[in-house]
């Protein structure tokens, strides 16, 4: 256990050194930036931002504006940014200055390998150049009908739990939607099925992916020490530290890394051999038909020049990165949508009617027979449904699955602000000096709730803001940004956020924007158009044996975590219990069929 004492001593020395350094440091260069007071000598007020901090984040920006000073671990001063012009400089104009933190890059490299979220500079640009065409609209169109059976299987499983007489059954939809999202991303990304929708066929890789995020969140305050540990300890001693650590979460992450590494190497070797020997890739080639993301990427990589070609290590890194990124956030987003539909019955009825109309019209045009509920609409029809699109966009705006991201300033710079802020001395300032090595928190949540951009009702979920008076999709990206007007959405006084998706920041923007957002959007819409026609969703109404009705509450702990409040629940376990039944005719809007 000597290594534990050495590592613990090293961390204590590091903490003491940081405290002494801070006490002896000259006046802070961020002293003129206002923000909430430090609440704890060790945690600052960082814990208020990341631990169930939705209200705290929004109230902080309302009070202090688009650039706020916060206190992180050991009292380190950081900048919390939600101003649109400042974010444009951070993620687009000066993205070479504001890079991912060492903690983020090194942590991701330890877990996922040399994928997109673990690389910087030229290596990252090279990887993104290879991956961008993989997520093209043409590839999404080809992929949609191939993955439709996953949504069909999910619908069959849920309907099997519902009585034929139309009575209501309470179902926790989170495990099933989580399994469905994992099967989606594994088949679409790898062309490989882990049988995630069959609970009798568990496997280590599926369990590892599902437990990674909860384990990581429990260790959030250890993350700042990752760069120090990586730089000062060899791989051998890092593994020993995790083996001997008293934390179950640390040991679990070690197990997760080993399982992911072993499984991904096996799948990769199989697909690469299939490509070289047969010209088609993967064990699921009969179902995916070589249209999965990894198959496309392997073919593109094989035909690339030596300068552009990715190494096997980089390709392996993309596998784990795409699966984790596409699984956890999509599960959160689609669960939130079903929760909203359960809460807002008028929204659910209107959506169901729009889906019925689109499927019936497509069936007639194609001369298809059979129930309209089973009709599979093509990509352009699916993505063009205005009310479905409005629901997805508004949910991702108001409730982004990931609310906060970090950057570090690699050199001193001046960060301009669109909206001036009041300094500690009372003067209005329109730019902030950012010293080298300053950490900045990008607030996706606050950006998406900016009332000057999205209107005074920015915190309200209202899908109609994305629609014109005639019910068609409103344009966005130019106009006055007034959510109640007929003008375009998401811009005010010539300023808009640099988001890659509908001018919101949910999928970020610039060279590190989420590369798979088109797939995520397509998956959510396909699941909705498959389940909503046959299943009615409502919030739980029946009291438990103690007379308590379940109330679902969403905690903002890095990711959005749905729990059931006390006393009906434990306020900890992730779950989304909803009342489900088969659809009746009165579950549609009153309109001609």
């Amino acid at each position: 256990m000597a290594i534990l004492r050495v590592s613990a001593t090293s961390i204590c020395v590091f903490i003491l050194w940081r405290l002494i350094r801070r006490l002896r440091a000259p006046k802070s260069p961020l002293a003129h930036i206002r923000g909430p007071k430090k609440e704890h000598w060790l945690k600052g007020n960082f814990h208020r931002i990341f631990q169930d901090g939705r209200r705290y984040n929004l109230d902080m920006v309302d009070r202090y504006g688009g650039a706020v000073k916060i206190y992180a671990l050991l009292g380190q001063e950081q900048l919390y940014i939600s101003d649109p012009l400042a974010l444009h400089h951070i993620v687009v104009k000066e993205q070479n200055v504001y890079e991912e933190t060492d903690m983020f890059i090194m942590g991701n490299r330890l877990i996922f390998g040399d994928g997109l979220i673990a690389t910087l500079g030229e290596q990252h640009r090279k990887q993104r150049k290879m991956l961008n065409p993989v997520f093209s609209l043409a590839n999404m169109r080809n992929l949609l009908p191939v993955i439709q059976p996953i949504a069909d299987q999910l619908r069959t499983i849920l309907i099997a739990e519902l009585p034929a007489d139309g009575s209501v059954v309470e179902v926790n939809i989170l495990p099933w939607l989580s399994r469905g999202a994992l099967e989606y991303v594994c088949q679409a990304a790898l062309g490989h099925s882990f049988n995630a929708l069959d609970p009798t066929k568990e496997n280590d890789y599926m369990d590892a992916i599902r437990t990674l995020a909860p384990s990581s969140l429990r260790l959030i305050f250890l993350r700042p020490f990752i760069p120090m540990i990586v730089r000062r300890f060899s791989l051998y001693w890092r593994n020993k530290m995790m083996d001997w650590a008293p934390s179950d979460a640390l040991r679990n992450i070690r197990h997760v890394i080993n399982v992911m590494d072993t499984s991904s190497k096996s799948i990769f070797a199989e697909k690469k051999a299939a490509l070289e020997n047969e010209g088609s890739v993967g064990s699921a080639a009969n179902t995916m038909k070589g249209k999965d993301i990894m198959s496309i990427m392997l073919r593109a990589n094989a035909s690339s020049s030596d300068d552009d070609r990715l190494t096997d290590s980089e390709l392996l890194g993309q596998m784990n990165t795409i699966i984790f990124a596409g699984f956890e956030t999509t599960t959160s987003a689609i669960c939130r949508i079903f929760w909203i539909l359960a809460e807002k019955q008028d929204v659910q009825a209107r959506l169901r009617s729009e889906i019925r109309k689109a499927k019936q019209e497509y069936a007639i045009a194609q001369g298809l027979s059979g129930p309209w509920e089973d009709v599979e609409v093509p990509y352009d029809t699916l993505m063009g449904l205005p009310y479905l699109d409005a629901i997805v966009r508004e949910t991702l705006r108001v409730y982004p699955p990931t609310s906060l991201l970090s950057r570090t300033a690699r050199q001193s710079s001046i960060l301009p602000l669109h909206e001036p802020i009041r300094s500690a001395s009372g003067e209005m300032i329109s730019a902030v000096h950012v010293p080298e090595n300053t950490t900045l928190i990008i607030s996706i949540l606050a950006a998406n709730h900016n009332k000057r951009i999205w209107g005074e009702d920015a915190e309200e979920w209202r899908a109609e803001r994305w629609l014109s008076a005639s019910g068609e999709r409103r344009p966005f990206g130019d106009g006055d940004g007034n959510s109640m007007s007929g003008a375009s959405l998401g811009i005010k006084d010539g300023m808009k956020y640099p988001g890659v998706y509908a001018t919101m920041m949910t999928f970020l923007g610039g060279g590190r924007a989420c590369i798979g957002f088109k797939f995520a959007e397509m998956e959510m819409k396909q699941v909705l158009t498959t389940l909503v026609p046959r299943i009615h969703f409502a919030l739980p109404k029946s009291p438990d044996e103690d007379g308590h009705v379940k109330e679902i509450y969403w905690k903002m702990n890095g990711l959005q975590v749905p729990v059931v409040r006390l006393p009906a629940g434990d306020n900890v376990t992730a779950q989304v219990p909803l009342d489900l039944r088969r659809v009746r005719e009165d579950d549609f809007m009153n309109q001609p069929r």
Side-chain angles (χ1 to χ4, degrees):
M1 301 297 287
I3 186 63
L4 279 182
R5 290 194 293 271
V6 171
S7 59
T9 301
S10 299
I11 291 175
C12 290
V13 170
F14 175 75
I15 292 174
L16 183 62
W17 171 73
R18 290 293 296 268
L19 287 173
I20 294 173
R21 183 184 177 192
R22 198 162 301 285
L23 289 172
R24 298 182 59 184
K27 182 179 178 181
S28 165
L30 300 181
H32 64 299
I33 305 298
R34 297 191 306 151
K37 292 182 179 180
K38 181 169 56 178
E39 298 182 9
H40 192 274
W41 71 271
L42 177 63
K43 296 185 291 185
N45 49 24
F46 220 48
H47 60 294
R48 297 294 302 276
I49 294 170
F50 283 96
Q51 294 182 346
D52 196 16
R54 178 182 174 84
R55 192 68 261 161
Y56 184 87
N57 280 263
L58 294 176
D59 289 346
M60 182 173 65
V61 173
D62 282 345
R63 180 175 181 180
Y64 298 108
V68 184
K69 180 174 63 179
I70 60 173
Y71 294 93
L73 196 65
L74 301 175
Q76 180 191 36
E77 294 180 348
Q78 299 185 357
L79 283 172
Y80 181 100
I81 304 295
S82 60
D83 181 89
L85 181 58
L87 289 180
H88 174 75
H89 277 255
I90 291 171
V91 305
V92 179
K93 190 172 183 180
E94 296 181 286
Q95 55 186 296
N96 62 311
V97 174
Y98 301 100
E99 291 187 331
E100 299 280 11
T101 63
D102 291 343
M103 173 185 70
F104 180 87
I105 294 296
M106 291 182 181
N108 286 334
R109 188 174 294 137
L110 288 173
I111 297 173
F112 304 113
D114 293 324
L116 268 180
I117 60 174
T119 54
L120 293 169
E122 185 57 35
Q123 186 183 13
H124 181 270
R125 285 189 288 274
K126 178 181 174 182
Q127 291 184 8
R128 199 167 184 98
K129 179 182 177 182
M130 174 66 65
L131 286 169
N132 273 330
V134 173
F135 289 93
S136 67
L137 288 179
N139 285 333
M140 294 302 103
R141 286 190 180 95
N142 291 332
L143 191 58
L144 179 68
V146 181
I147 56 178
Q148 176 66 49
I150 302 171
D152 294 339
Q153 185 181 0
L154 182 60
R155 177 183 60 192
T156 299
I157 291 170
L158 290 176
I159 288 179
E161 299 193 30
L162 308 182
D165 62 4
S167 54
V168 172
V169 174
E170 183 182 293
V171 178
N172 179 14
I173 66 170
L174 176 59
W176 288 117
L177 292 178
S178 174
R179 287 175 173 274
L182 184 56
E183 187 67 10
Y184 254 102
V185 73
C186 286
Q187 286 202 32
L190 306 182
H192 186 94
S193 174
F194 287 102
N195 298 303
L197 286 170
D198 186 347
T200 67
K201 296 182 179 179
E202 298 288 340
N203 64 77
D204 289 342
Y205 186 83
M206 188 168 64
D207 291 340
I209 289 291
R210 285 206 303 245
T211 59
L212 177 57
S215 298
S216 299
L217 288 174
R218 287 198 293 270
L219 299 171
I220 188 170
F221 286 106
L222 289 179
R223 291 179 187 176
F225 299 105
I226 289 177
M228 181 196 72
I229 293 171
V230 169
R231 289 170 180 141
R232 286 166 173 76
F233 294 92
S234 68
L235 176 61
Y236 173 83
W237 288 114
R238 293 201 303 267
N239 287 336
K240 287 293 185 184
M241 290 166 64
M242 297 187 79
D243 286 340
W244 295 338
S247 168
D248 289 337
L250 271 175
R251 286 193 294 270
N252 184 59
I253 287 182
R254 167 79 187 282
H255 171 71
V256 165
I257 293 172
N258 289 337
V259 169
M260 289 172 59
D261 182 63
T262 302
S263 299
S264 60
K265 284 181 178 177
S266 174
I267 296 170
F268 179 75
E270 174 189 331
K271 295 178 72 65
K272 192 174 181 182
L275 176 65
E276 293 171 351
N277 297 331
E278 301 174 13
S280 62
V281 186
S283 63
N286 290 334
T287 56
M288 295 306 297
K289 303 171 185 175
K291 297 177 181 178
D292 59 275
I293 292 167
M294 183 55 66
S295 298
I296 297 169
M297 185 164 60
L298 283 173
R299 287 193 293 267
N301 194 59
S303 61
S304 297
S305 66
D306 291 341
D307 291 338
D308 292 335
R309 189 172 298 135
L310 305 184
T311 65
D312 285 358
S313 174
E314 289 176 294
L315 292 170
L316 277 167
Q318 312 311 330
M319 289 175 59
N320 290 327
T321 297
I322 291 170
I323 289 174
F324 179 75
F327 159 63
E328 197 70 40
T329 55
T330 304
T331 298
S332 172
I334 200 163
C335 279
R336 178 77 79 160
I337 293 175
F338 279 111
W339 174 75
I340 290 170
L341 296 180
E343 182 184 45
K344 303 177 185 295
Q345 291 294 307
D346 58 328
V347 173
Q348 185 179 163
R350 180 174 174 181
L351 174 62
R352 186 175 291 113
S353 298
E354 180 182 69
I355 295 170
R356 177 171 67 178
K357 182 174 183 291
K359 289 195 171 190
Q360 288 179 336
E361 289 179 350
Y362 183 74
I364 292 172
Q366 299 297 316
L368 303 177
S369 59
W372 66 266
E373 294 93 338
D374 297 336
V375 172
E376 301 173 11
V377 295
Y379 180 87
D380 292 326
T381 301
L382 177 70
M383 305 305 285
L385 295 177
Y387 198 57
L388 172 63
D389 188 67
I391 288 171
V392 172
R393 289 184 189 276
E394 184 70 347
T395 303
L396 292 173
R397 183 190 70 82
V398 180
Y399 306 112
T402 302
S403 301
L404 304 166
L405 296 170
S406 298
R407 292 290 186 273
T408 189
R410 300 297 179 183
Q411 63 187 59
S412 296
S413 63
I414 301 297
L415 194 62
L417 303 172
H418 177 63
E419 292 287 337
I421 60 172
R422 189 173 300 280
S423 71
S425 64
E427 66 174 317
M428 301 301 293
I429 57 176
S430 57
V432 176
H433 172 246
V434 182
E436 184 179 1
N437 296 324
T438 299
T439 298
L440 302 93
I441 305 297
I442 297 173
S443 180
I444 295 173
L445 177 71
N448 286 359
H449 286 246
N450 188 332
K451 294 178 181 178
R452 293 185 179 274
I453 298 293
W454 301 102
E456 286 300 315
D457 62 349
E459 291 190 26
E460 175 187 348
W461 189 97
R462 192 171 62 82
E464 287 73 19
R465 77 176 71 246
W466 298 93
L467 302 173
S468 66
S470 63
E472 297 301 313
R473 283 194 293 185
R474 282 177 59 183
F476 48 85
D478 54 75
D480 66 8
N482 184 344
S483 66
M484 299 299 293
S485 76
S488 300
L489 187 63
I491 190 166
K492 183 71 173 180
D493 298 332
M495 179 54 60
K496 65 179 181 179
Y497 280 102
V500 70
Y501 176 72
T503 72
M504 68 180 81
M505 291 300 294
T506 301
F507 294 108
L508 208 59
R512 299 195 75 95
C514 174
I515 200 167
F517 77 92
K518 294 174 185 174
F519 174 77
E521 182 187 19
M522 179 181 73
E523 176 188 340
M524 287 186 281
K525 289 182 175 181
Q526 187 177 55
V527 171
L528 286 165
T529 55
T530 302
L531 300 188
V532 170
R534 288 193 181 273
I535 303 174
H536 178 272
F537 301 84
L539 296 179
K541 297 182 179 64
S542 300
D544 60 20
E545 57 185 17
D546 296 320
H548 302 126
V549 176
K550 294 179 180 178
E551 179 189 356
I552 300 169
Y553 172 69
W554 293 76
K555 289 185 175 181
M556 194 188 90
N557 295 340
L559 297 172
Q560 307 289 332
V561 181
V563 299
V564 173
R565 285 186 184 271
L566 298 169
D570 61 9
N571 209 42
V572 175
T573 304
Q575 55 184 309
V576 184
L578 297 178
D579 285 349
L580 273 57
R581 62 168 169 79
R582 296 171 186 260
V583 167
R584 303 190 301 249
E585 185 56 37
D586 58 356
D587 293 328
F588 296 83
M589 285 183 61
N590 294 324
Q591 61 181 30
R593 295 182 62 178

